[in-house]
Amino acid sequence: MANPIDAILVRATGGPEVLELGKVDAPAPAAGELLVAVGAAGVNYIDTYHRRGVYPRDLPFVPGAEGAGTVLAVGADVTGFAEGDHVAWADAPGSYAQQVVVPAKAAFPVPGGVEDDTAAAAMLQGLTAHYLVTSTYAVKPGDTVLVHAAAGGMGLLLTQLVKARGGKVIGTVSTREKETLAREAGADEVIRYTETDFVQGVKDLTGGAGVAVVYDGVGRTTFDGSLASLARRGVLALFGASSGAVPPVDPQRLNAAGSVFLTRPALAHHIATPEEYRWRCDELFQAITGGRVSIRVGGRYPLADAAKAHTDLEGRRTTGKLLLIP
Ligand code: NDP
């Protein structure tokens, strides 16, 4: 190898143990690309789906899509970036490595004073939370909103963004420690859904009216209760499935639940144009630098411990965002 770097390699799909530290050749930036030294790589649920082969990728591959770091080299035809710039990204395959190639159109210039850790932790989940509260269902002052797994990476961000728009948050969590974190992030009410029935809890807290929107990234174990928690014509934003996939749904159930709306959104469809990507990044980072959103990094792992990070995330043991530090 001419210029070996450390990277996590998946040679066969499977459990966390297939994430092995290895050496790969340093990538070279082609036209329209940047070569970046990764300061921090974000760990996301989608990485676990790639690792398990739920979303197939050609083997071997370096997992990860998100991170922040310093530009080492600029490919041909790139304008607006120079060596030494700090950038963050949500969509550059192979980010679990010391260096990664980032398409210039996917690179966001990190505002001065924002550390790599914060920028890497903010991107994928922050942009997702942003589109969920602005576009999937535009939260209005006075709306009551149900956020599942409110102390998770997505949950803490959703809670803060809903509060910033004047909404009231009912969060669900599994433990007392997670309840404290959700309340610190602004949740008005927290239900420990492993101990009490959250559907009854939502009924009691809303005087039987239900919520305007449920942000549900948990999936299989919460889906039925989420439907039952909606107000008439409410929106169920099923954005993930940390507990497993939801079985097929009969559309008639949406009628029975009160002419409700069900959507299964993805980030890619909300940052597809440079304008939309830029708008969401700008608003997110303005909220961070303005102190309106705080980013909680719940765990930092050396690159070699990627398997442990996945084990902890899937084992329901984590809060906030997990990062790999190459
Ligand atoms: P989290 O930090 O929220 O971790 C997952 C949480 O889900 C756990 O901490 C746990 O919280 C809860 N949970 C409930 N049941 C289970 C279970 N059986 N196994 C594991 N966890 C469980 O993860 P992320 O913030 O990274 O992601 C949350 C969801 O958002 C994922 O489904 C992910 O795929 C999705 N996502 C979707 C995107 C999109 O655009 N559609 C983009 C980004 C993320 P508790 O212990 O409190 O129950």
Side-chain angles (χ1 to χ4, degrees), residues 63-74:
E66 174 186 46
T70 309
V71 175
L72 292 173
V74 176

Side-chain angles (χ1 to χ4, degrees), residues 43-46 48-49 55 124-125 127-129 131-132 148-156 172-175 178 193-194 216-222 238-244 264-268 270 312-322:
V43 176
N44 289 290
Y45 245 90
I46 195 162
T48 70
Y49 302 146
Y55 299 152
L124 199 147
Q125 293 171 348
L127 294 173
T128 301
Y131 84 68
L132 286 169
H148 285 308
M154 281 299 309
L156 289 174
T172 61
V173 297
S174 65
T175 66
K178 290 184 177 187
Y193 57 175
T194 38
D216 187 345
V218 173
R220 192 177 57 78
T221 57
T222 46
L238 178 70
F239 65 93
S242 60
S243 71
R264 176 61 179 89
L267 176 60
H270 294 83
D312 290 348
L313 182 64
E314 292 176 292
R316 211 171 173 171
R317 286 193 282 277
T318 63
T319 59
K321 180 74 185 183
L322 305 189

Side-chain angles (χ1 to χ4, degrees), residues 5-6 13 20 50 64 102 107 143 195 253 292 295 309 326:
I5 58 162
D6 289 348
T13 54
E20 289 175 18
H50 288 141
V102 180
D143 281 338
E195 292 164 28
R253 289 184 65 192
R292 296 187 298 285
I295 303 292

Side-chain angles (χ1 to χ4, degrees), residues 12 85 142 200 240 271 276 279 301 326:
D85 284 353
Q200 188 58 48
I271 54 171
E276 192 168 9
W279 166 58
Y301 301 74

